[in-house]
Structures are given as structure tokens and as C-alpha cells.
Amino acid sequence: MTSQIFSPGLQQTLDLIGIFVFALSGGLMAVRKNMDIFGICVLAEVTALGGGVLRDLVIGATPVAAFSNVGYFSTPLAAGLVVFFLHPEVERINRAVQTLDAMGLGLFCVTGTVKAHDYGLSFVPSVALGILTAAGGGVIRDVLALESPALLRWDREIYAVPALVGATAVAVLIGTGHLDAWTATAAALCAFVIRMLALRYGWRAPRAWHRNGSRTSEE
Amino acid sequence: MTSQIFSPGLQQTLDLIGIFVFALSGGLMAVRKNMDIFGICVLAEVTALGGGVLRDLVIGATPVAAFSNVGYFSTPLAAGLVVFFLHPEVERINRAVQTLDAMGLGLFCVTGTVKAHDYGLSFVPSVALGILTAAGGGVIRDVLALESPALLRWDREIYAVPALVGATAVAVLIGTGHLDAWTATAAALCAFVIRMLALRYGWRAPRAWHRNGSRTSEE
Amino acid sequence: MTSQIFSPGLQQTLDLIGIFVFALSGGLMAVRKNMDIFGICVLAEVTALGGGVLRDLVIGATPVAAFSNVGYFSTPLAAGLVVFFLHPEVERINRAVQTLDAMGLGLFCVTGTVKAHDYGLSFVPSVALGILTAAGGGVIRDVLALESPALLRWDREIYAVPALVGATAVAVLIGTGHLDAWTATAAALCAFVIRMLALRYGWRAPRAWHRNGSRTSEE
């Protein structure tokens, strides 16, 4: 999250919003799983920061940003407390949370790809780390809650595809020398819009060919 | 585990005791899950060393201490063999194992916080890494055994709170320049005593506000 | 995977074959779990590269080889597509896949041990990282699929023991100064043959002593 496409203040603000919303989704999962306040805070932390931590570990950016920046680390705790005291209200505005989550998805797939490229990774691995930054925290959340990771399930609206599109767009922009604040924003918006459309129209990814019912989703 | 609050020999001895006891709890979980001897040794290793490995990865202390120190690595194997041959006896002294486990909890939340601070982390992240050092191995053990992590469950005696108290005490001691062998021991003892009291009196952390039955635990 | 026991071209070829086959087993698990194409590719990636990534993180070899080498990263995607379109055919040649998987096991326990030693680890940790390289990806695959890790189950043919034998052989060869392309190949073959015999004759590891039925496997 060190790469400066945006001004430092704007970047930090966007990061914190994304982290806060991801943390809400982690805290809500903990409430559904009947965990205590500590479980809520832990799931909030891992959901919000897990993707960035995995990215930083893979590229060797240690100490990882999530732990060296107090704001990044404290924000999920605040989100955890919000869920602890107000979880029925947070559930009620679930549609708003999903919209904000889609914004976090767009933001993090862009910043993750840029940071991976800054550390010398080539096209395909940079895209993969962009997706990992955006989606990794949710996978850790699901594993700790003993849920089948939503990212991998065919019966959930696509989450990785928007991240893939956004990350690929950024990697192409970097490769062609056109990455700036405006094009990065466009890439993030692109991922955001695809995710919102997927939620709106129930878009799903196909299952394995020949599998009973798998082709119907493409006809 | 490199920070020298205690003399090197004493530190090493304490570390090995803590590692051995954590490894016993991992091995016992493997026996309950009907795993073979290799599963017993793997769960012993990850339970004993997992928290320290995660901490070292996050702060960038590689190769991680658990793998560069042969004693640290071999001790869980010894504990695994003990469980393999003597698990009914180990189960029988479960109360003693829990007491030793509480000692390991106290020790590792202190040494984890100190090491995180040595690597330049600030107050809150250092405390978080102290908790991670003490409790992370148990979470990995539970995930590999497909159990809901005891750390996150509301129906288990609090485990993170003692670690939080111990780690916070150490971080305050560092901040005020009062950390030495005596105050560090006091912080570890503090965590140990809270954990023992929690086990004795069944202390639990509250679940989310408004949730059915959650407030009764606070009335 | 940087250590040059073999010529660079041969090493790369062997690595890619091993990665491809491991990825097939990950993709097949995803199909059995009814995941979508993205889940298939993710499980193919983590199964094929997870062990090497964990090894590189532990020894501090970042950015990890799996992400800095485009070939390593792209191969599992190709395997994922093969599984997506042809999974009934891949299931049908399951015996051939198991044979190739055993070859990957032999190869990676050797290269993992060598790389760990290159990074300064001593005998026992190097052997452990050799096993981790060979078996770690399968454990992550099983955790993400919410399956009890096959590596730890007593009712599956031994997987870790062949890796242990191969890795120990390599560590002894390094210690005695006899490691070269021929002896490394012999160590890998040794692990391969033990794994194939285990599959052929249903070899299993013992469960904890005194446990009902555990001794029968040794009588």
C-alpha cells in the first residue's frame, strides 16, 4: 500500500475505508458463527488485512504494512466494536455494506497489483497478487469460520473475476506506461461495476465441463 | 525468541518448556482426531511453533527462529513421541498440562511482544504479535484438525484476554523504560494467573450485544 | 528451486512436470467439491506451489520463486484448464496421475531439502522443509476444500514417510559431501519407489499406542 498513484492522504483515506468495510464483513461472519468479542475482532482483522499481509509476505515487504501502520491495524478493531454493539443495524444495511465491499475490491486489486509490480514481479504474478490482495482476506475469514470459501464456490456471485479484470487492466496500463491516478481509478471502477452487476444479476462462473448442469449456466 | 530479557540459558530453557507443553496439546488433539504418528508430530510442531513462525514471518525475521534453532524444532518431535506412546497418561494429567500451557501462554505473549518491538513495530501491533505468538499455534492446530478454533469460540474459557493483558503490560513497560527480567516475569505471571482463574471459574468473553443470551453473561 | 544439482534446463523441466501433476490433483479436488472454474484454478495453484511458497517464506527467499518465475505460476493454470475441460478423462487415468504425483513427491523433497540447506538451515530443519515442500501444497488444498488433510490421516497410504526418507537421504549426502546429480536422483527415486509400494500394498502409519486397533497394524 506504499505505491503512490494517488496523493498520500487520499490513498490512506481510501485504504482505511476499504479496510473498514472488509472488517465489517469479517465481524458479521463471526457474529453469525456465534463467536465472542475476541473472535469478532480477530475475524475483522484477518478479513481486512489478510490479503495485504499475504501479498507482503510473498514479495518480501516486511515488516508487513498492515502491522507497521497503526491506522491500518486499528481500523478493523473499530469495525469489530461497531459490529459487536450494532450488528443488527449492520446486517440491515447489508446492501450498503456489499456496495462498499465492492469498492474495497476495486481499490485493493489495483493497489495490490501496483505494489507487486513495484517489487519486481512480472505481468501474470502481479495480476495474481492483485487478486490475492482483494480476495485473500475473505478466504482466511472463511477458513477460520470453517466455511467453504465463498471465493471458490460456484453458487456465489463472482468475486474473483472483477478483481481479475481490474488487476489485468492495471498490469496492462503499467506495461504500456499509461498508469496514472485517472486510469487507475478507471480500472478500480471497472472492477467495482462488474462486481455490482454480478450481485444484481446473480452472475456465476461455470463449473467443470461435462458436469451435470454446468453447461446450462452458459446457454 | 532472540530478545534477551533473561539470561540466554534461562530464556532457552523457558522457551523449550513452553514449546514442549504446547506440543503436547497439539499431539493430544491429533490422537483425539485419530491421526497417525505423523499427524501427531505435525500437529505437535505447528501448535508449538506456529505462533512464533507467523510472528517471524510478519516482522521479516527469516530464516524463522523455529527452523534455524535445532532445539526449538526437535522438542515438539519429542513431545509427539511422548503422546504417541503415553497418551492415556498425558490425558490423565490434563490439569497439569493446562497449568503448563498457561505458563507457556504467559511466557510467549511476553517474548513475542518484546521481539516485535525489537523489529520496530509500534505499540498496538507489538501487542497483537505478542498475542499471535502465544495463541497462533493453537489456531493452526484447530484449522488442521477441522475444529472451530477454540480461541474464537465464546463457549471456551478466555485465552486471548490473558495474552492481551500480558502483552499490553510488556508494551507499557517498554514504552516507559521499565522492562527488565523482574517486570517481564511479573507480566508473564499476570497472564498466567488470569488464565488459571479463567479455567477455574469458567470465565468467558461476551458475544455480540443484543444477541439472544449474550447479555446474561454480563448481568 | 534455484539450487543446481541438475542442469538448469533439466531442473526447470522436472519442476514444471512436478508442478503440473500436483496441480492436476488440486483441480480434481475442486471438481469433486463442485467448485467453479476459478476454484479449480486456485486449488491447482495452491496444491502445486503451496509447499514451495511456504518453504521460501520460512527461509526468507523472497519474492518467492513461485511468483517470480512466470513458468512456475502459469503451469497450474494450464493444468486447471485441462481439468476444467477434461476432468472425466483425468479421473480415468488416475493411476497414471498418482504415479506422476509420486514422481513430484520424490523430486520436491529433494530440491526442497537442498534449497533449505543452501539458505543455512541445519540437518533436521532442512529435512522438515524438504517434506514441507513436497507435502505442504496438498495440506493447503485439503484445508481450503474443508477436507481432513490426507497427509495426517491414518487411513491413507503414507505420504510423508517417502518424503522423509528422500529428504533425509539428501541431507546425509550433503553432510558427507556426496551430493551430485546421480545421488540426488537416487534419493528421489527412493522416495518415489516407497510411495508407489505404499500405494500398491496399502501401507499405513501406526496410530497412537494403546489405541483400539492401533497395534494390529504392527503385528
Coordinates of all heavy atoms in Angstrom, one line a residue, chain A residues 9 13 46 51 53 55 67-68 94 98 112 161 168 187 199:
Chain A
G9 N -2.4 11.3 1.2 CA -3.6 11.5 2.0 C -4.8 10.8 1.4 O -5.5 10.1 2.2
T13 N -6.7 7.5 3.0 CA -8.2 7.5 3.3 C -8.9 6.4 2.6 O -9.7 5.7 3.2 CB -8.7 8.9 2.8 OG1 -8.0 9.9 3.3 CG2 -10.2 9.0 3.2
V46 N -8.4 -10.3 10.2 CA -7.9 -11.1 9.1 C -8.6 -10.9 7.8 O -8.0 -10.9 6.8 CB -7.9 -12.6 9.5 CG1 -7.1 -12.9 10.7 CG2 -9.3 -13.1 9.6
G51 N -5.4 -10.3 3.0 CA -4.9 -10.3 1.7 C -3.7 -9.5 1.5 O -2.7 -9.9 0.8
V53 N -1.5 -8.8 3.9 CA -0.4 -9.5 4.6 C 0.2 -10.6 3.7 O 1.4 -10.7 3.6 CB -0.9 -10.0 5.9 CG1 0.2 -11.0 6.5 CG2 -1.2 -8.9 6.9
R55 N 0.2 -10.8 0.5 CA 0.9 -10.2 -0.6 C 2.3 -9.7 -0.2 O 3.3 -10.0 -0.8 CB 0.1 -9.0 -1.2 CG 0.8 -8.2 -2.3 CD 0.3 -6.8 -2.3 NE 0.5 -6.1 -1.0 CZ -0.3 -5.2 -0.5 NH1 -1.3 -4.7 -1.2 NH2 -0.1 -4.7 0.7
F67 N 1.0 -4.3 9.8 CA 1.5 -4.2 11.2 C 2.3 -3.0 11.5 O 2.5 -2.7 12.6 CB 2.2 -5.5 11.5 CG 1.3 -6.7 11.8 CD1 0.9 -7.5 10.8 CD2 0.9 -7.0 13.1 CE1 0.0 -8.5 11.0 CE2 0.1 -8.1 13.3 CZ -0.4 -8.8 12.3
S68 N 2.9 -2.4 10.4 CA 3.8 -1.3 10.7 C 3.0 0.0 10.7 O 3.5 1.1 11.2 CB 5.0 -1.2 9.8 OG 4.5 -1.3 8.4
N94 N -27.1 -4.3 4.8 CA -26.2 -5.2 4.2 C -25.9 -4.8 2.7 O -24.8 -5.0 2.2 CB -26.8 -6.6 4.2 CG -25.7 -7.7 3.9 OD1 -24.6 -7.5 4.2 ND2 -26.2 -8.8 3.4
Q98 N -22.4 -4.3 1.1 CA -21.9 -5.0 -0.1 C -21.4 -4.0 -1.2 O -20.4 -4.3 -1.9 CB -23.0 -5.8 -0.7 CG -23.3 -7.1 0.0 CD -24.2 -8.1 -0.8 OE1 -25.1 -7.6 -1.5 NE2 -23.9 -9.4 -0.7
G112 N -2.9 -3.6 -5.0 CA -2.1 -4.8 -4.8 C -1.3 -5.1 -6.1 O -0.1 -5.5 -6.0
V161 N -13.5 -12.6 -10.6 CA -13.5 -12.1 -12.0 C -13.4 -10.6 -12.0 O -12.5 -10.1 -12.7 CB -14.7 -12.6 -12.8 CG1 -14.8 -12.0 -14.2 CG2 -14.7 -14.2 -12.9
T168 N -5.8 -7.0 -14.2 CA -5.3 -7.1 -15.5 C -5.2 -5.7 -16.2 O -4.2 -5.4 -16.9 CB -6.1 -8.1 -16.4 OG1 -6.2 -9.3 -15.7 CG2 -5.5 -8.3 -17.8
A187 N -9.7 1.7 -13.7 CA -9.6 0.2 -13.5 C -10.4 -0.2 -12.3 O -11.1 -1.2 -12.3 CB -8.1 -0.1 -13.4
L199 N -23.7 -9.0 -8.6 CA -24.6 -9.1 -7.4 C -26.0 -8.9 -7.9 O -26.9 -9.5 -7.5 CB -24.2 -8.0 -6.4 CG -23.0 -8.4 -5.5 CD1 -22.6 -7.2 -4.6 CD2 -23.3 -9.6 -4.6

